[in-house]
Amino acid sequence: MSSHSGDATPEPGLAGATPAGQGPDFRILFEALPGAYCVLDPDLVIVAATDAYLRDTRTSRAGIVGRPLTAVFPGRPDPRGVATLRASLDVVRADQVTDTIVVDRYDIPAAGPGGEPDARYWSLVNVPVLGPGRQLAYIVHWLDDVTDYVRTLQDQAGGGQPAGAQQGRVQRIEADLLALSQGLQQGNQALQEANESLRGAYNAKKDFLDRLSHELRTPLHTILGFGELLSLDGLSAEHREWITMTLQASRHLVQLMDEAGDVAQIEDRTLTLSMEAVLVHSVIADVIEMIRPLALAEGVQIDPPPRPAASQYVRADEQRFRQIMLNLLSNAVKYNYPGGRVTITVGDQPGDQLRVSVTDTGRGVAGQDVGRLFLPFERLDAAQAGVEGAGLGLALSRDLVEAMGGTTGVSSVQGEGSTFWIELPVTEPVAVSQLAIERDGIVSSREYSTGKTVLYAEDMVENFRLVEQILKQRPSVTLLPAMLAGVALDLARQHRPDMILLDLRLPDMPGEEVLLRLRADARTRDIPVVVLSADATRQRIDQLRADGVVDYLIKPIDVRSLLRTVDSALGEARPGPGTLPGETQQPALVRRIFNAHYYR
């Protein structure tokens, strides 16, 4: 056992009232905690301990602070205990997860001079504390003394037996407890290894989805871009129909990739939401207009909800709310019969909730299958019925609703139809601005006040040709091509363009490195950079925005989005409709990172 001993009396100078005007002394507060805690640095050296820990271990602060935890009790009769403790701490250091030792025996110094060491039984918990960059900063080591419980078991086991038999029984109980602790430790290790395996499989799936998304977005960028340009020209009715079908099929693939990406972000707990007061009937009216062509094609009638006497607002991310309603309405149309109806209702619910319901007169779902509707990629018999889709819409809608603090549900009768509903918290806008609506003339050709030069770093000729064609709507712009990063950097230094369009995957250098070099050079650091990339991962987008890009457009690029971004970056954006007299601007959106842990 440790040869040093002491008491739990706080050291002089560590207690006392906090001077007026100063914050609390957290060392005093920590040392006064009722639990037996000590704090270790990443090298397992003790840096602090509570008075309760000193009392339970019969040590002193001066005797243990600055020493490794495993060296504080070096004389334990069972050397396997030190190995168990070190294995637990190694798990915490390697995986940054909490680890527990159920029970182990420790011999602590005698209570008085000349006494024998005292055997104690402790349950130990080791908790990681992460610092900047999610690096391990400390480990909180918590000791729970279960000696009285163990001795009660020993007394029960030994009652009425000869002394020798009692001693043997006690030793067997101790051995069983230690074996249980070691078995649980091994089980924890097996669980850690299984978690590592699952983490590896998840990362492989994520990498595959990211790669697949990038490889599909690049050709779709070309298909959609040139398709939109063709649709702007005078075409015959037949050719316009072909272009429309091509664009619809391409957008369906983009939607599938976006939904798969959203599901991955939810699993990764990185989905970003912009919460605001959303006018419910305005979104529903927009979504009905978007779905109406599909409804006409399927012969389904959509009945909008009656307009309420007062405006109804919910607290939600407007884009995600719109996405949810699109999913519900498109399903209600696709799974309906020709001549069927879709009815939308909006009503108050207890607890300041607003329910939006979508009811169809379609095939309905059997009772035993209702629970499977919200499973990812679960389509029941939709494929046999010829209904398009990937089976992600309902699962994603449920997760998005719950992420925004709401709930969702379904009732269905086979052969009669289904009702899908969502409930979201009711709110009131701080200020609502009804902006004047003007016709979107962004695609119209227009001249800038002065000539502009745009450098485009892109290694695929078809992508460059597409942007070149789009920018013909801005005759004042001269487009400089660069298929290599090195060439792009040289051109940027020589020509000092007014703007740089940057692809992230160039043959000779990553786009991120190009951006760093542009920012490091005094000649180019102030040139606005817009990224055009097929990489749709939120982490990459947020990182590059933080690094200073003025915008990040995901391929396939929408013609209007690109023109609007170019106008803004070049300082030639058209002024939008102003605020009407007597009105105030809509308050800024509240942004937060969604953590799936909060609703799972």
Side-chain angles (χ1 to χ4, degrees), residues 6 34 52 105 141 167 170 227 256 315 348 402-403 444 468 480 483 486 518 550 572 581 592:
R105 173 180 168 173
H141 178 71
Q167 183 63 26
V170 167
L256 174 59
R315 187 173 186 272
D348 294 324
E402 293 178 349
S444 302
E468 183 181 43
L480 297 178
M483 300 187 71
L518 289 170
V550 298
E572 297 284 347
R592 67 184 177 91

PDB file of all heavy atoms in Angstrom, residues 6 34 52 105 141 167 170 227 256 315 348 402-403 444 468 480 483 486 518 550 572 581 592:
ATOM      1  N   GLY A   6      -2.677  10.638   5.400  1.00  0.00           N
ATOM      2  CA  GLY A   6      -3.067  12.008   5.719  1.00  0.00           C
ATOM      3  C   GLY A   6      -4.534  12.056   6.022  1.00  0.00           C
ATOM      4  O   GLY A   6      -5.155  11.047   6.309  1.00  0.00           O
ATOM      5  N   PRO A  34     -19.488  16.718  -2.753  1.00  0.00           N
ATOM      6  CA  PRO A  34     -19.675  15.585  -1.827  1.00  0.00           C
ATOM      7  C   PRO A  34     -19.175  14.258  -2.382  1.00  0.00           C
ATOM      8  O   PRO A  34     -18.975  13.307  -1.627  1.00  0.00           O
ATOM      9  CB  PRO A  34     -21.193  15.558  -1.613  1.00  0.00           C
ATOM     10  CG  PRO A  34     -21.765  16.220  -2.832  1.00  0.00           C
ATOM     11  CD  PRO A  34     -20.769  17.263  -3.233  1.00  0.00           C
ATOM     12  N   ALA A  52     -13.721  14.686  -0.347  1.00  0.00           N
ATOM     13  CA  ALA A  52     -14.322  13.367  -0.141  1.00  0.00           C
ATOM     14  C   ALA A  52     -13.400  12.267  -0.660  1.00  0.00           C
ATOM     15  O   ALA A  52     -13.310  11.181  -0.060  1.00  0.00           O
ATOM     16  CB  ALA A  52     -15.680  13.301  -0.840  1.00  0.00           C
ATOM     17  N   ARG A 105     -10.845  -4.460  -5.384  1.00  0.00           N
ATOM     18  CA  ARG A 105     -10.366  -4.295  -4.014  1.00  0.00           C
ATOM     19  C   ARG A 105      -9.115  -3.429  -4.002  1.00  0.00           C
ATOM     20  O   ARG A 105      -8.219  -3.583  -4.828  1.00  0.00           O
ATOM     21  CB  ARG A 105     -10.046  -5.661  -3.398  1.00  0.00           C
ATOM     22  CG  ARG A 105      -9.378  -5.560  -2.034  1.00  0.00           C
ATOM     23  CD  ARG A 105      -9.075  -6.901  -1.436  1.00  0.00           C
ATOM     24  NE  ARG A 105      -8.197  -6.770  -0.276  1.00  0.00           N
ATOM     25  CZ  ARG A 105      -7.882  -7.776   0.529  1.00  0.00           C
ATOM     26  NH1 ARG A 105      -8.357  -8.990   0.285  1.00  0.00           N
ATOM     27  NH2 ARG A 105      -7.075  -7.584   1.565  1.00  0.00           N
ATOM     28  N   HIS A 141     -12.015  10.869 -12.525  1.00  0.00           N
ATOM     29  CA  HIS A 141     -11.982   9.529 -11.930  1.00  0.00           C
ATOM     30  C   HIS A 141     -12.882   9.555 -10.692  1.00  0.00           C
ATOM     31  O   HIS A 141     -12.603  10.260  -9.717  1.00  0.00           O
ATOM     32  CB  HIS A 141     -10.528   9.190 -11.553  1.00  0.00           C
ATOM     33  CG  HIS A 141     -10.362   7.863 -10.887  1.00  0.00           C
ATOM     34  ND1 HIS A 141     -10.502   6.664 -11.546  1.00  0.00           N
ATOM     35  CD2 HIS A 141     -10.048   7.553  -9.597  1.00  0.00           C
ATOM     36  CE1 HIS A 141     -10.269   5.670 -10.702  1.00  0.00           C
ATOM     37  NE2 HIS A 141     -10.007   6.184  -9.515  1.00  0.00           N
ATOM     38  N   GLN A 167     -14.041 -18.094   6.345  1.00  0.00           N
ATOM     39  CA  GLN A 167     -12.968 -17.443   5.604  1.00  0.00           C
ATOM     40  C   GLN A 167     -12.943 -17.916   4.152  1.00  0.00           C
ATOM     41  O   GLN A 167     -12.771 -17.118   3.226  1.00  0.00           O
ATOM     42  CB  GLN A 167     -11.620 -17.757   6.278  1.00  0.00           C
ATOM     43  CG  GLN A 167     -10.431 -17.056   5.620  1.00  0.00           C
ATOM     44  CD  GLN A 167     -10.527 -15.550   5.701  1.00  0.00           C
ATOM     45  OE1 GLN A 167     -11.156 -15.013   6.605  1.00  0.00           O
ATOM     46  NE2 GLN A 167      -9.926 -14.858   4.736  1.00  0.00           N
ATOM     47  N   VAL A 170     -15.824 -16.237   2.306  1.00  0.00           N
ATOM     48  CA  VAL A 170     -15.535 -14.834   2.033  1.00  0.00           C
ATOM     49  C   VAL A 170     -14.579 -14.712   0.867  1.00  0.00           C
ATOM     50  O   VAL A 170     -14.749 -13.858  -0.031  1.00  0.00           O
ATOM     51  CB  VAL A 170     -14.965 -14.157   3.294  1.00  0.00           C
ATOM     52  CG1 VAL A 170     -14.364 -12.789   2.948  1.00  0.00           C
ATOM     53  CG2 VAL A 170     -16.046 -13.999   4.348  1.00  0.00           C
ATOM     54  N   GLY A 227     -29.873  21.604 -70.654  1.00  0.00           N
ATOM     55  CA  GLY A 227     -31.309  21.418 -70.841  1.00  0.00           C
ATOM     56  C   GLY A 227     -32.079  22.700 -70.568  1.00  0.00           C
ATOM     57  O   GLY A 227     -32.998  23.066 -71.310  1.00  0.00           O
ATOM     58  N   LEU A 256     -33.213  12.617 -55.273  1.00  0.00           N
ATOM     59  CA  LEU A 256     -32.819  11.382 -54.590  1.00  0.00           C
ATOM     60  C   LEU A 256     -31.486  11.579 -53.875  1.00  0.00           C
ATOM     61  O   LEU A 256     -31.323  11.173 -52.713  1.00  0.00           O
ATOM     62  CB  LEU A 256     -32.720  10.242 -55.604  1.00  0.00           C
ATOM     63  CG  LEU A 256     -32.184   8.899 -55.074  1.00  0.00           C
ATOM     64  CD1 LEU A 256     -33.058   8.390 -53.945  1.00  0.00           C
ATOM     65  CD2 LEU A 256     -32.113   7.886 -56.204  1.00  0.00           C
ATOM     66  N   ARG A 315     -43.291  27.452 -35.794  1.00  0.00           N
ATOM     67  CA  ARG A 315     -41.841  27.650 -35.695  1.00  0.00           C
ATOM     68  C   ARG A 315     -41.168  26.481 -36.409  1.00  0.00           C
ATOM     69  O   ARG A 315     -41.251  25.342 -35.968  1.00  0.00           O
ATOM     70  CB  ARG A 315     -41.396  27.723 -34.238  1.00  0.00           C
ATOM     71  CG  ARG A 315     -39.929  28.091 -34.078  1.00  0.00           C
ATOM     72  CD  ARG A 315     -39.557  28.317 -32.628  1.00  0.00           C
ATOM     73  NE  ARG A 315     -38.193  28.802 -32.517  1.00  0.00           N
ATOM     74  CZ  ARG A 315     -37.128  28.030 -32.434  1.00  0.00           C
ATOM     75  NH1 ARG A 315     -37.278  26.713 -32.449  1.00  0.00           N
ATOM     76  NH2 ARG A 315     -35.920  28.547 -32.344  1.00  0.00           N
ATOM     77  N   ASP A 348     -55.812  23.555 -34.822  1.00  0.00           N
ATOM     78  CA  ASP A 348     -55.083  23.685 -33.555  1.00  0.00           C
ATOM     79  C   ASP A 348     -55.154  22.379 -32.768  1.00  0.00           C
ATOM     80  O   ASP A 348     -56.154  21.646 -32.830  1.00  0.00           O
ATOM     81  CB  ASP A 348     -55.673  24.819 -32.722  1.00  0.00           C
ATOM     82  CG  ASP A 348     -55.465  26.175 -33.379  1.00  0.00           C
ATOM     83  OD1 ASP A 348     -54.398  26.367 -33.998  1.00  0.00           O
ATOM     84  OD2 ASP A 348     -56.359  27.033 -33.281  1.00  0.00           O
ATOM     85  N   GLU A 402     -39.405  15.963 -36.316  1.00  0.00           N
ATOM     86  CA  GLU A 402     -38.963  15.790 -34.937  1.00  0.00           C
ATOM     87  C   GLU A 402     -37.781  16.703 -34.625  1.00  0.00           C
ATOM     88  O   GLU A 402     -37.652  17.203 -33.503  1.00  0.00           O
ATOM     89  CB  GLU A 402     -38.610  14.323 -34.684  1.00  0.00           C
ATOM     90  CG  GLU A 402     -39.828  13.412 -34.735  1.00  0.00           C
ATOM     91  CD  GLU A 402     -39.489  11.946 -34.527  1.00  0.00           C
ATOM     92  OE1 GLU A 402     -38.281  11.616 -34.558  1.00  0.00           O
ATOM     93  OE2 GLU A 402     -40.416  11.140 -34.351  1.00  0.00           O
ATOM     94  N   ALA A 403     -36.924  16.937 -35.625  1.00  0.00           N
ATOM     95  CA  ALA A 403     -35.808  17.854 -35.421  1.00  0.00           C
ATOM     96  C   ALA A 403     -36.291  19.266 -35.150  1.00  0.00           C
ATOM     97  O   ALA A 403     -35.621  20.043 -34.459  1.00  0.00           O
ATOM     98  CB  ALA A 403     -34.890  17.846 -36.647  1.00  0.00           C
ATOM     99  N   SER A 444     -32.716  37.386 -67.954  1.00  0.00           N
ATOM    100  CA  SER A 444     -32.678  38.316 -69.072  1.00  0.00           C
ATOM    101  C   SER A 444     -31.251  38.829 -69.275  1.00  0.00           C
ATOM    102  O   SER A 444     -30.493  38.999 -68.318  1.00  0.00           O
ATOM    103  CB  SER A 444     -33.614  39.497 -68.814  1.00  0.00           C
ATOM    104  OG  SER A 444     -34.938  39.046 -68.613  1.00  0.00           O
ATOM    105  N   GLU A 468     -19.929  29.154 -69.695  1.00  0.00           N
ATOM    106  CA  GLU A 468     -19.712  30.130 -70.757  1.00  0.00           C
ATOM    107  C   GLU A 468     -21.032  30.516 -71.423  1.00  0.00           C
ATOM    108  O   GLU A 468     -21.300  31.710 -71.681  1.00  0.00           O
ATOM    109  CB  GLU A 468     -18.753  29.554 -71.794  1.00  0.00           C
ATOM    110  CG  GLU A 468     -18.385  30.503 -72.924  1.00  0.00           C
ATOM    111  CD  GLU A 468     -17.447  29.852 -73.910  1.00  0.00           C
ATOM    112  OE1 GLU A 468     -17.681  28.661 -74.270  1.00  0.00           O
ATOM    113  OE2 GLU A 468     -16.489  30.504 -74.336  1.00  0.00           O
ATOM    114  N   LEU A 480     -12.309  33.775 -68.348  1.00  0.00           N
ATOM    115  CA  LEU A 480     -10.982  33.203 -68.546  1.00  0.00           C
ATOM    116  C   LEU A 480     -10.998  31.753 -68.092  1.00  0.00           C
ATOM    117  O   LEU A 480     -11.334  31.474 -66.934  1.00  0.00           O
ATOM    118  CB  LEU A 480      -9.935  33.968 -67.731  1.00  0.00           C
ATOM    119  CG  LEU A 480      -9.700  35.432 -68.076  1.00  0.00           C
ATOM    120  CD1 LEU A 480      -8.668  36.015 -67.127  1.00  0.00           C
ATOM    121  CD2 LEU A 480      -9.239  35.561 -69.513  1.00  0.00           C
ATOM    122  N   MET A 483      -7.731  25.069 -66.750  1.00  0.00           N
ATOM    123  CA  MET A 483      -8.018  23.662 -66.475  1.00  0.00           C
ATOM    124  C   MET A 483      -7.087  23.068 -65.425  1.00  0.00           C
ATOM    125  O   MET A 483      -7.269  21.928 -65.013  1.00  0.00           O
ATOM    126  CB  MET A 483      -7.946  22.856 -67.769  1.00  0.00           C
ATOM    127  CG  MET A 483      -8.957  23.328 -68.821  1.00  0.00           C
ATOM    128  SD  MET A 483      -9.035  22.272 -70.271  1.00  0.00           S
ATOM    129  CE  MET A 483      -9.823  20.806 -69.604  1.00  0.00           C
ATOM    130  N   GLY A 486      -2.499  25.387 -61.092  1.00  0.00           N
ATOM    131  CA  GLY A 486      -1.333  26.247 -61.257  1.00  0.00           C
ATOM    132  C   GLY A 486      -1.574  27.342 -62.273  1.00  0.00           C
ATOM    133  O   GLY A 486      -1.179  28.498 -62.070  1.00  0.00           O
ATOM    134  N   LEU A 518      -4.550  31.715 -52.832  1.00  0.00           N
ATOM    135  CA  LEU A 518      -5.128  32.995 -53.235  1.00  0.00           C
ATOM    136  C   LEU A 518      -5.196  33.953 -52.052  1.00  0.00           C
ATOM    137  O   LEU A 518      -4.904  35.149 -52.180  1.00  0.00           O
ATOM    138  CB  LEU A 518      -6.534  32.776 -53.812  1.00  0.00           C
ATOM    139  CG  LEU A 518      -6.629  32.103 -55.179  1.00  0.00           C
ATOM    140  CD1 LEU A 518      -8.082  31.732 -55.486  1.00  0.00           C
ATOM    141  CD2 LEU A 518      -6.078  33.009 -56.281  1.00  0.00           C
ATOM    142  N   VAL A 550     -17.320  33.466 -51.032  1.00  0.00           N
ATOM    143  CA  VAL A 550     -18.532  34.279 -50.912  1.00  0.00           C
ATOM    144  C   VAL A 550     -19.787  33.460 -51.150  1.00  0.00           C
ATOM    145  O   VAL A 550     -20.873  33.839 -50.707  1.00  0.00           O
ATOM    146  CB  VAL A 550     -18.488  35.477 -51.881  1.00  0.00           C
ATOM    147  CG1 VAL A 550     -17.318  36.381 -51.555  1.00  0.00           C
ATOM    148  CG2 VAL A 550     -18.411  35.031 -53.327  1.00  0.00           C
ATOM    149  N   GLU A 572     -23.163  43.911 -58.938  1.00  0.00           N
ATOM    150  CA  GLU A 572     -24.110  44.370 -59.942  1.00  0.00           C
ATOM    151  C   GLU A 572     -25.505  43.809 -59.700  1.00  0.00           C
ATOM    152  O   GLU A 572     -26.320  43.734 -60.612  1.00  0.00           O
ATOM    153  CB  GLU A 572     -23.637  43.958 -61.344  1.00  0.00           C
ATOM    154  CG  GLU A 572     -22.330  44.583 -61.758  1.00  0.00           C
ATOM    155  CD  GLU A 572     -22.477  46.045 -62.153  1.00  0.00           C
ATOM    156  OE1 GLU A 572     -23.619  46.487 -62.341  1.00  0.00           O
ATOM    157  OE2 GLU A 572     -21.444  46.730 -62.291  1.00  0.00           O
ATOM    158  N   PRO A 581     -44.084  50.970 -46.845  1.00  0.00           N
ATOM    159  CA  PRO A 581     -44.159  51.967 -45.773  1.00  0.00           C
ATOM    160  C   PRO A 581     -44.860  51.395 -44.542  1.00  0.00           C
ATOM    161  O   PRO A 581     -45.866  50.698 -44.649  1.00  0.00           O
ATOM    162  CB  PRO A 581     -44.980  53.101 -46.400  1.00  0.00           C
ATOM    163  CG  PRO A 581     -44.762  52.951 -47.882  1.00  0.00           C
ATOM    164  CD  PRO A 581     -44.636  51.485 -48.118  1.00  0.00           C
ATOM    165  N   ARG A 592     -29.296  26.833 -35.964  1.00  0.00           N
ATOM    166  CA  ARG A 592     -28.806  25.911 -34.951  1.00  0.00           C
ATOM    167  C   ARG A 592     -28.416  24.609 -35.619  1.00  0.00           C
ATOM    168  O   ARG A 592     -28.877  24.286 -36.704  1.00  0.00           O
ATOM    169  CB  ARG A 592     -29.858  25.636 -33.865  1.00  0.00           C
ATOM    170  CG  ARG A 592     -31.089  24.868 -34.333  1.00  0.00           C
ATOM    171  CD  ARG A 592     -32.079  24.756 -33.182  1.00  0.00           C
ATOM    172  NE  ARG A 592     -33.312  24.108 -33.553  1.00  0.00           N
ATOM    173  CZ  ARG A 592     -33.525  22.798 -33.459  1.00  0.00           C
ATOM    174  NH1 ARG A 592     -32.588  22.001 -33.024  1.00  0.00           N
ATOM    175  NH2 ARG A 592     -34.692  22.278 -33.798  1.00  0.00           N
TER     176      ARG A 592
END
